[in-house]
Amino acid sequence: MPRATRASRLSGLLASVLLLAVTAVGCGSSNSDSTSSGSDTSGSNSKASADAFPVTIAHKFGSTTIKSEPKRIVTVGLTDQDAVLALGKVPVGTTEWLGGYKGAIGPWAKDKLGSSPAPTVLKDTGTGPQVEKIAALKPDLILAVYSGLTKAQYQSLSQFAPVVAQPKAYNDYGVPWQQQTEEIGKAMGKADEAKTLVSGVEAKFAAAKKANPAFAGTSAVVATPYEGVFVYGSQDPRSRLLSDLGFSLPKDLDKVIGDTFGANISKERYDLLDQKVAVWIVPDTTTAVTKLHSDKIYGDLNVVKQGREVFVKESSDYGNAVSLSTVLSIPYVLDRMVPQLAAAVDGKTSTKVEQPAS
């Protein structure tokens, strides 16, 4: 399967957020990668707590009760599969966002498959989940935690399986990885194990902050050159990576972008980019960077002149891991991003921010 382009991926995600009135009509598209036999692919370490069920989970559209341990999980949330895998089960179906990975499972999570077949890959190009294809997988739990599910789509999916939708406390596609992992853990009857996983990753953040005290309170922003300049807000997982490392986001960031995970900004607001660190998700780390720097307004900012930019190739495994920001992908990201951020904030303009070796 060819890797999706940056524009198509972001366009699809933007469409999913904006098309809140779209229902599940016409979801029987033939664009699935049927790599799974459709059998129960529960992991070998998947036994839930004996007293975990029934469990009721609140979400944007009310609440959902799961009566018994799920055996056949389909993930509609674009990154939910990593939490399921981390908790010892292999979904029978996943939803593609990034492209290029069998079963929609990245290299940071591949070892969690074990001997199980890869999940069937479903599509969501902005028109909602493929309801008919999901139904054909006979799920007993549908997870849509990191999603922009509409009420109509939720109701449609709920006709044949319990659905855990996105939490109402956050923007669509805005749930923190910690809550995502714990919500999915509850749904799977593995709440304690989920908390342990979260604590383990949070310990990695703590270690990175301790080793790099210069991160504390240093201003930072994440952006991508999509249709001009697209800046990610405080509720986007990419921005949360920086916040969790101790960086501070621009004070009026969310006021500028509104109630979304991010937005394009005008050149009059390029001041948002002039932070102590600017992390760019770019198509490539050569021509895309040259194009950015050729913009006179951006090129004249101190963040450029003082060499305080971090560039991440968006279609690389590293870039994909940054975009997912899950309990499994974050350790992979920290190994690569922390050295880049440390070089960017060391106070020496001569220090080059190197690209990771892999």
Side-chain angles (χ1 to χ4, degrees), residues 268-344:
E268 287 74 21
R269 289 314 316 256
Y270 274 16
D271 58 292
L272 289 173
L273 304 172
D274 200 18
Q275 307 301 319
K276 294 296 184 181
V277 181
V279 177
W280 284 94
I281 315 295
V282 292
D284 63 83
T285 55
T286 54
T287 58
V289 176
T290 300
K291 184 176 180 181
L292 275 172
H293 289 176
S294 68
D295 183 301
K296 181 171 176 55
I297 296 176
Y298 178 69
D300 282 344
L301 297 179
N302 286 329
V303 70
V304 178
K305 293 178 178 179
Q306 297 174 10
R308 294 189 265 103
E309 299 163 293
V310 169
F311 293 102
V312 179
K313 184 178 180 181
E314 58 88 25
S315 62
S316 65
D317 291 339
Y318 174 29
N320 288 336
V322 170
S323 292
L324 261 74
S325 291
T326 66
V327 69
L328 290 182
S329 74
I330 287 172
Y332 184 95
V333 169
L334 294 181
D335 287 345
R336 292 155 178 77
M337 184 175 283
V338 169
Q340 289 184 299
L341 292 168

Side-chain angles (χ1 to χ4, degrees), residues 59 64 142 151-164:
H59 51 72
T64 295
I142 299 170
K151 186 174 183 179
Q153 292 162 358
Y154 168 75
Q155 292 173 335
S156 181
L157 292 171
S158 296
Q159 292 179 21
F160 51 87
V163 180
V164 179

Side-chain angles (χ1 to χ4, degrees), residues 117-140:
T120 294
V121 178
L122 305 154
K123 309 281 185 177
D124 182 348
T125 60
T127 57
Q130 292 179 293
V131 175
E132 292 176 10
K133 290 186 177 295
I134 293 171
L137 292 173
K138 299 180 180 179
D140 53 14

Side-chain angles (χ1 to χ4, degrees), residues 2-352:
R3 191 181 296 275
T5 64
R6 169 182 58 85
S8 64
R9 291 206 300 272
L10 190 53
S11 293
L13 186 52
L14 283 166
S16 294
V17 174
L18 296 174
L19 296 179
L20 297 180
V22 175
T23 65
V25 175
C27 291
S29 169
S30 62
N31 293 331
S32 65
D33 177 10
S34 298
T35 57
S36 169
S37 64
S39 61
D40 179 2
T41 53
S42 300
S44 60
N45 298 316
S46 62
K47 188 173 179 58
S49 300
D51 59 349
F53 299 99
V55 61
T56 299
I57 300 174
H59 51 72
K60 185 175 182 178
F61 305 116
S63 64
T64 295
T65 297
I66 302 160
K67 296 181 179 179
S68 59
E69 180 183 357
K71 303 291 185 181
R72 299 179 59 81
I73 300 172
V74 170
T75 59
V76 169
L78 298 182
T79 67
D80 292 349
Q81 66 270 26
D82 277 13
V84 176
L85 288 163
L87 289 164
K89 285 185 182 289
V90 177
V92 295
T94 54
T95 299
E96 183 181 83
W97 176 23
L98 300 172
Y101 297 131
K102 187 176 183 180
I105 296 172
W108 50 86
K110 194 173 181 180
D111 64 335
K112 300 297 182 180
L113 272 176
S115 60
S116 300
T120 294
V121 178
L122 305 154
K123 309 281 185 177
D124 182 348
T125 60
T127 57
Q130 292 179 293
V131 175
E132 292 176 10
K133 290 186 177 295
I134 293 171
L137 292 173
K138 299 180 180 179
D140 53 14
L141 177 63
I142 299 170
L143 295 172
V145 181
Y146 184 81
S147 78
L149 206 65
T150 69
K151 186 174 183 179
Q153 292 162 358
Y154 168 75
Q155 292 173 335
S156 181
L157 292 171
S158 296
Q159 292 179 21
F160 51 87
V163 180
V164 179
Q166 63 268 36
K168 65 180 180 180
Y170 303 97
N171 295 340
D172 290 349
Y173 304 103
V175 60
W177 65 269
Q178 296 97 324
Q179 183 164 347
Q180 176 191 39
T181 304
E182 292 183 5
E183 293 284 284
I184 291 172
K186 291 176 186 176
M188 292 173 60
K190 307 185 84 172
D192 290 343
E193 187 174 335
K195 290 179 180 179
T196 298
L197 287 170
V198 168
S199 295
V201 177
E202 288 181 334
K204 292 182 182 296
F205 277 109
K209 289 193 289 186
K210 184 177 180 180
N212 297 277
F215 291 178
T218 297
S219 64
V221 68
V222 186
T224 188
Y226 171 75
E227 294 185 351
V229 170
F230 186 97
V231 176
Y232 294 99
S234 66
Q235 289 197 30
D236 185 83
R238 282 150 286 221
S239 294
R240 283 203 180 101
L241 279 171
L242 298 181
S243 298
D244 287 344
L245 283 168
F247 289 91
S248 62
L249 301 175
K251 291 181 179 179
D252 58 347
L253 176 62
D254 288 346
K255 182 178 180 181
V256 172
I257 67 171
D259 189 24
T260 65
F261 68 93
N264 288 96
I265 60 171
S266 66
K267 292 191 175 184
E268 287 74 21
R269 289 314 316 256
Y270 274 16
D271 58 292
L272 289 173
L273 304 172
D274 200 18
Q275 307 301 319
K276 294 296 184 181
V277 181
V279 177
W280 284 94
I281 315 295
V282 292
D284 63 83
T285 55
T286 54
T287 58
V289 176
T290 300
K291 184 176 180 181
L292 275 172
H293 289 176
S294 68
D295 183 301
K296 181 171 176 55
I297 296 176
Y298 178 69
D300 282 344
L301 297 179
N302 286 329
V303 70
V304 178
K305 293 178 178 179
Q306 297 174 10
R308 294 189 265 103
E309 299 163 293
V310 169
F311 293 102
V312 179
K313 184 178 180 181
E314 58 88 25
S315 62
S316 65
D317 291 339
Y318 174 29
N320 288 336
V322 170
S323 292
L324 261 74
S325 291
T326 66
V327 69
L328 290 182
S329 74
I330 287 172
Y332 184 95
V333 169
L334 294 181
D335 287 345
R336 292 155 178 77
M337 184 175 283
V338 169
Q340 289 184 299
L341 292 168
V345 301
D346 73 349
K348 302 175 183 177
T349 58
S350 59
T351 302
K352 184 177 181 181

